[in-house]
Amino acid sequence: MIRYGIAGFGLHAIKRLMPGFAGASNSRAVALSRRNFAQAQADAAQYSIAHAFASTRELCECSEVDAVFVTSPNAIHLFDVLTCIEHGKHVLCEKPMAMNASEAEQMVAAAAKRGVVLGVAQCFRFCNTLGRIRECIRRGDIGQVVAIRVDFSFPGLKSVRRWLHDSTVAGGGPIADIGVHCIDAMRFMLGDEVVSCSAMTESDEYSGSVEAAASLSLRFTKGALGSSFVSFRAPYYTVIQITATEGSIVVQDGLTVDYPVTVEFKTRDGALREAMSNADAYARQVDAFSATIETGAPFAAPGEDGLRNQRILDALYCSARNRQEVAISR
C-alpha cells in the first residue's frame, strides 16, 4: 500500500481524487495540505485523512507519506514538486506540469538525480476509451491515420478556479488547461510525436490575461494531421474523431469519466459500436503510479511526457503570438 499526501487539497481533490483513492486497491490518501490550515483540518476530518498540514514542506516531512499528489495551482507546481523531490518523495503532478518547458525540465532533472518517480496526471491515459482506440490504431484495424481531432470545451466563467483567467497563475487559458488533455490524448492514441504546430486564439471582455478559445493544429511524425478546438465559453463537450485510410473512429464525450460513452468504429472488417465506462480512470491512475513505485514497472504518463506536452504548449503560444507554424524543440 503506497501512502499519499495531497498537496493543495481543493475542489479537484474532492471531486476527482478522493473518489479515485476510494476505488484504488494499492493506494491510500493519508495526508493533505492547504494554505488555510483550519480548512485543511476540516477536510482531513471529513475524508478520514490522518494528517493535515498548512504547507507542502510540512506534508513532505511526514514519515508516513511515500508519495505526493501535487494539485496546487500551476504557478506553484515547480516549488511543490522540487520540495517533494528534495524530501525523497515520489511525485505525481497535475497537468499542465509547469508554467513552461524550462520548469518542467528542472523537475525531470531533479527527479532523475534524486532517484524518485515523477509522473504527470494525464488521467485520460487511464481511460478504457483511449486504451481501446490506441490498440485499434496499433493493430492497423483502420489503416494509416491521416487526421485526428480532439475538442474540449467547458464554461470556464462558472469555475470556482478564478485563477484560470490569470496568466501569472495559470500560465495560459484553455490551451494550457484543457488543450493539454487534447494534445496528450492524440499523442497517446497515435503513439506518435508532434513535430510542429500552430494556433489561433480569441479573447473577450472576460478573458483577463489569457485566451478565451483557441484553434490548434498539430503535425505528427508519421504524417497524421491533428486539430483541436478548446474553449472556456461553451458547455462541457469533448469529441474524438479519427480518419484513416481504411476506416474511422468517432466518440462523443470521449474525454469524460462521468458517464458511459459509445465508441463508433468503422474498420476494414465492418462497423462496430462499443459502450465503455471510464469511471475508474482516477483509481487506475493512482494504482498504476503506486505499481511503478513498488515494482519499477513503466508508468503510462512519466514526467518526460509532461515535459513533451509542455514544449508543445510553449510552441502553440509562440505560434499564436507570431502567427506562424512552430517546430517543436527536442
Side-chain angles (χ1 to χ4, degrees), residues 152-155 231-238:
F152 201 145
S153 64
F154 81 94
S231 175
F232 282 168
R233 300 294 185 271
Y236 186 94
Y237 175 72
T238 66

Side-chain angles (χ1 to χ4, degrees), residues 190-251:
L190 293 177
D192 198 6
E193 295 300 336
V194 179
V195 294
S196 64
C197 62
S198 61
M200 293 188 297
T201 62
E202 186 63 44
S203 300
D204 60 26
E205 60 183 308
Y206 305 108
S207 298
S209 55
V210 303
E211 72 280 3
S215 179
L216 316 178
S217 297
L218 310 174
R219 192 183 303 275
F220 286 86
T221 303
K222 298 174 185 177
L225 297 177
S227 62
S228 180
F229 173 75
V230 293
S231 175
F232 282 168
R233 300 294 185 271
Y236 186 94
Y237 175 72
T238 66
V239 64
I240 298 171
Q241 295 177 312
I242 299 172
T243 303
T245 55
E246 298 183 59
S248 61
I249 302 172
V250 177
V251 52

Side-chain angles (χ1 to χ4, degrees), residues 85-319:
I85 293 172
E86 174 190 337
H87 286 79
K89 306 296 185 183
H90 305 289
V91 193
L92 184 55
C93 182
E94 260 303 329
K95 61 78 212 167
M97 189 171 170
M99 296 287 279
N100 52 58
S102 176
E103 289 189 356
E105 288 169 356
Q106 293 179 59
M107 297 178 190
V108 171
K113 183 176 181 179
R114 190 68 168 80
V116 300
V117 180
L118 173 63
V120 60
Q122 292 291 166
C123 60
F124 295 116
R125 288 194 176 210
F126 302 90
C127 284
N128 296 309
T129 304
L130 265 62
R132 176 70 175 86
I133 294 172
R134 176 182 168 94
E135 285 306 311
C136 179
I137 293 172
R138 276 186 167 180
R139 288 197 305 264
D141 293 350
I142 59 173
Q144 182 70 29
V145 174
V146 295
I148 182 169
R149 182 177 188 89
V150 182
D151 293 344
F152 201 145
S153 64
F154 81 94
L157 293 178
K158 298 180 181 179
S159 175
V160 298
R161 294 182 296 162
R162 303 314 305 166
W163 52 265
L164 280 178
H165 308 283
D166 183 350
S167 62
T168 65
V169 181
I175 294 177
D177 188 60
I178 49 181
V180 69
H181 277 313
C182 301
I183 294 162
D184 190 75
M186 286 188 271
R187 290 182 54 236
F188 179 69
M189 288 185 288
L190 293 177
D192 198 6
E193 295 300 336
V194 179
V195 294
S196 64
C197 62
S198 61
M200 293 188 297
T201 62
E202 186 63 44
S203 300
D204 60 26
E205 60 183 308
Y206 305 108
S207 298
S209 55
V210 303
E211 72 280 3
S215 179
L216 316 178
S217 297
L218 310 174
R219 192 183 303 275
F220 286 86
T221 303
K222 298 174 185 177
L225 297 177
S227 62
S228 180
F229 173 75
V230 293
S231 175
F232 282 168
R233 300 294 185 271
Y236 186 94
Y237 175 72
T238 66
V239 64
I240 298 171
Q241 295 177 312
I242 299 172
T243 303
T245 55
E246 298 183 59
S248 61
I249 302 172
V250 177
V251 52
Q252 302 296 325
D253 291 331
L255 301 183
T256 187
V257 300
D258 293 324
Y259 45 83
V261 300
T262 299
V263 185
E264 299 179 15
F265 296 93
K266 291 183 180 179
T267 73
R268 59 168 64 96
D269 298 320
L272 174 68
R273 290 168 60 91
E274 290 187 24
M276 300 181 191
S277 171
N278 298 317
D280 63 349
Y282 284 90
R284 292 177 63 190
Q285 174 179 250
V286 73
D287 271 345
F289 193 70
S290 295
T292 296
I293 293 170
E294 291 187 320
T295 70
F299 182 61
E304 289 79 5
D305 268 302
L307 172 57
R308 292 187 187 100
N309 287 338
Q310 198 68 56
R311 286 173 175 159
I312 298 168
L313 294 179
D314 287 3
L316 286 167
Y317 281 114
C318 178
S319 170

